[in-house]
Amino acid sequence: MNYRTSRLHQFVMGAGLIMLPFMTSCDKSEPESTIDESNMDRVILVYAVNHSSLKYDFKSDSTEICKAMQNIDLSQYQVLVYKTKDLNNTGLYKFEKKSGGKNEFKEVNIYPRDITSTDSGRLQKVVEDALSLYPQATYDMIFWGHGTAWVEGNDNTDVQTTKRGPEKAYGGEYTGFKNPNGSAETSWMNIEDLSSALPNKKFDKIWFDCCYMSSIEVIYELRDKCNYYIGYPTEVMSEGMSYDIVLPYLLRKEPDFIGAAKSFFKNYNDHSVPATVAVLDMSQLPAVVNATREILKTGFTCPSSSDMVNYSRMSTKLVDFLTYYSEIANHNNRQELATALKQAYDKMVLYQDASAKDFRGFEWDRSKIHGISTFYLIDENDDNSAYYKNLEWYKTVYKSN
């Protein structure tokens, strides 16, 4: 396996002014076979922000998706892919099986690039269109692209500036311009807008195939959007998940999403490439929230960063959630509250794993890695954390006490 730059740090290819068209066929087209989709059981929607520094990685992932679908019964299971079609349009595609067992991307809807894929209106429209295709089916969703957790701010120069300031969280889509320093200007969707674009309780699982999105702040923002949540507290290499390995675990009568996450991790770990992953039962999140609030009622004191893992290579520290809040409880001599938090946390985190080394190439203490990050808030009254205080997580666990 080639060792590539991670999804967060791969803005090195300029503004991407030449966009290669997405190939609409996995193989040469053959006469179409008729498939009855009236009993469609499960659908995965892949929302790909691929007009970005990751466009070539998406071409590889598309090939992997084709490979995964080769032996899937398309009368029962389907993958829908939203992606860039060309410089002027994006599109929603589904797979069709041709005679001979070959698959083809078929255009379902085309959307003009009058707004970016990181516009919440575009996300909302694509989700509505996708859900309308198979209203009887259970849906999962995979977000594909760059991610920076909830983080808002100028950690890199390639951000879109709006009236609310530079925004980041999900996307990194090229806007076709360059900054004075020559780097690409990119468009992002903040986590509040992403959440507002998704309907409640329509997805069984949401999987972020992006850097840093296993963050308690992101997870809590999406608390009403899915039953299960899969993400990475750290970066992920630009290849992301191996779709040909992972999708067969998900597209079956009884999806094995823990097995899917394990296969994702094993694929990296077997090649000694750093990776992390966590699988969450969202029904257990309220107990974790309540346990955290009880800890903060005893008073907030910022723990020493030397006692915990920092998952981030950004300027914003994203430290281990369980360690961070447990240390606050221990500092206030309320060890029983730390125990209660861990008990709730262990019920929520169904599976998590981490490689022996971090993304800097250093060994880290895996006993202090628990699969979810949180913002290293130094001072609750610090004006520099103003944006953080807009998040539902902060308003719920800090300000409601």
Side-chain angles (χ1 to χ4, degrees):
M1 172 179 287
N2 294 328
Y3 205 94
R4 298 186 185 179
T5 312
S6 76
R7 291 202 166 175
L8 175 62
H9 295 283
Q10 203 194 18
F11 289 104
V12 294
M13 297 178 65
L17 298 178
I18 301 176
M19 185 68 194
L20 297 178
F22 188 90
M23 298 302 293
T24 58
S25 177
C26 306
D27 299 282
K28 291 183 178 180
S29 180
E30 296 186 14
E32 183 177 347
S33 59
T34 302
I35 295 178
D36 180 6
E37 297 180 328
S38 61
N39 294 315
M40 186 67 65
D41 182 68
R42 185 170 293 271
V43 179
I44 297 176
L45 170 61
V46 180
Y47 192 89
V49 179
N50 66 308
H51 183 42
S52 72
S53 60
L54 298 173
K55 62 183 179 181
Y56 296 109
D57 294 294
F58 188 72
K59 289 171 68 70
S60 297
D61 284 351
S62 298
T63 300
E64 292 174 357
I65 293 173
C66 281
K67 184 177 179 181
M69 297 302 290
Q70 193 68 31
N71 297 313
I72 297 295
D73 181 357
L74 294 185
S75 69
Q76 296 289 307
Y77 311 104
Q78 181 60 266
V79 171
L80 303 173
V81 180
Y82 169 81
K83 55 182 175 51
T84 288
K85 178 182 181 182
D86 51 43
L87 284 175
N88 298 313
N89 299 281
T90 59
L92 180 64
Y93 298 81
K94 72 173 186 175
F95 285 88
E96 281 198 342
K97 184 160 286 189
K98 302 296 180 177
S99 61
K102 295 182 179 181
N103 296 322
E104 179 181 71
F105 290 95
K106 180 183 178 182
E107 215 169 72
V108 176
N109 281 319
I110 296 300
Y111 308 89
R113 195 182 285 283
D114 53 344
I115 56 177
T116 65
S117 297
T118 53
D119 186 286
S120 60
R122 175 54 48 84
L123 172 60
Q124 181 177 354
K125 175 59 175 170
V126 171
V127 169
E128 289 174 353
D129 290 345
L131 291 174
S132 69
L133 292 175
Y134 308 103
Q136 77 280 12
T138 299
Y139 275 75
D140 299 328
M141 186 160 189
I142 296 174
F143 283 96
W144 191 103
H146 286 288
T148 62
W150 61 272
V151 175
E152 183 266 2
N154 201 8
D155 282 300
N156 291 301
T157 58
D158 48 350
V159 296
Q160 179 186 29
T161 299
T162 71
K163 62 182 179 181
R164 294 167 56 176
E167 296 182 356
K168 304 183 77 172
Y170 169 67
E173 183 170 69
Y174 287 141
T175 59
F177 302 97
K178 288 188 177 182
N179 287 318
N181 65 5
S183 63
E185 282 191 9
T186 53
S187 175
W188 298 78
M189 185 186 307
N190 68 37
I191 195 60
E192 306 103 302
D193 290 343
L194 187 151
S195 177
S196 67
L198 299 179
N200 289 350
K201 305 299 183 184
K202 289 295 186 180
F203 294 103
D204 186 35
K205 295 176 287 296
I206 291 178
W207 187 319
F208 276 94
D209 194 20
C210 316
C211 296
Y212 294 126
M213 300 306 268
S214 184
S215 151
I216 193 64
E217 293 84 2
V218 176
I219 294 162
Y220 189 69
E221 207 76 35
L222 299 176
R223 61 194 178 280
D224 297 320
K225 308 304 178 181
C226 59
N227 298 320
Y228 300 96
Y229 185 102
I230 302 99
Y232 323 131
T234 61
E235 299 164 67
V236 63
M237 305 308 289
S238 61
E239 296 91 335
M241 76 166 78
S242 295
Y243 286 80
D244 54 330
I245 296 173
V246 172
L247 288 185
Y249 285 92
L250 302 176
L251 294 172
R252 56 175 69 170
K253 195 68 176 177
E254 297 293 335
D256 182 5
F257 52 96
I258 294 177
K262 287 181 176 180
S263 70
F264 159 83
F265 178 76
K266 185 176 186 298
N267 185 56
Y268 279 104
N269 200 49
D270 285 353
H271 293 89
S272 300
V273 177
T276 57
V277 66
V279 179
L280 315 181
D281 180 349
M282 296 292 273
S283 71
Q284 300 299 319
L285 179 58
V288 172
V289 173
N290 290 336
T292 306
R293 290 178 61 195
E294 290 301 311
I295 289 172
L296 291 173
K297 285 180 181 179
T298 67
F300 173 78
T301 302
C302 180
S304 169
S305 61
S306 63
D307 296 330
M308 63 193 73
V309 170
N310 177 18
Y311 292 118
S312 172
R313 290 199 292 172
M314 299 184 289
S315 61
T316 302
K317 282 188 177 181
L318 303 177
V319 297
D320 186 77
F321 167 86
L322 185 60
T323 306
Y324 181 81
Y325 288 104
S326 296
E327 286 298 310
I328 295 174
N330 292 331
H331 177 84
N332 294 327
N333 295 315
R334 298 297 300 272
Q335 286 76 19
E336 78 281 6
L337 295 181
T339 298
L341 176 62
K342 187 176 188 309
Q343 290 173 344
Y345 189 89
D346 287 345
K347 290 180 181 179
M348 181 176 71
V349 180
L350 303 179
Y351 164 74
Q352 69 88 21
D353 213 337
S355 50
K357 293 183 179 180
D358 65 14
F359 277 78
R360 296 175 179 87
F362 298 112
E363 290 189 4
W364 51 1
D365 187 348
R366 295 175 70 203
S367 69
K368 295 182 178 180
I369 297 172
H370 303 96
I372 299 176
S373 73
T374 194
F375 176 45
Y376 184 61
L377 181 62
I378 297 174
D379 182 353
E380 187 185 354
N381 299 311
D382 183 5
D383 289 339
N384 292 329
S385 301
Y387 181 81
Y388 186 71
K389 295 175 183 178
N390 293 324
L391 299 177
E392 290 299 315
W393 171 256
Y394 178 85
K395 289 187 286 188
T396 299
V397 301
Y398 285 87
K399 301 312 292 182
S400 60
N401 287 320

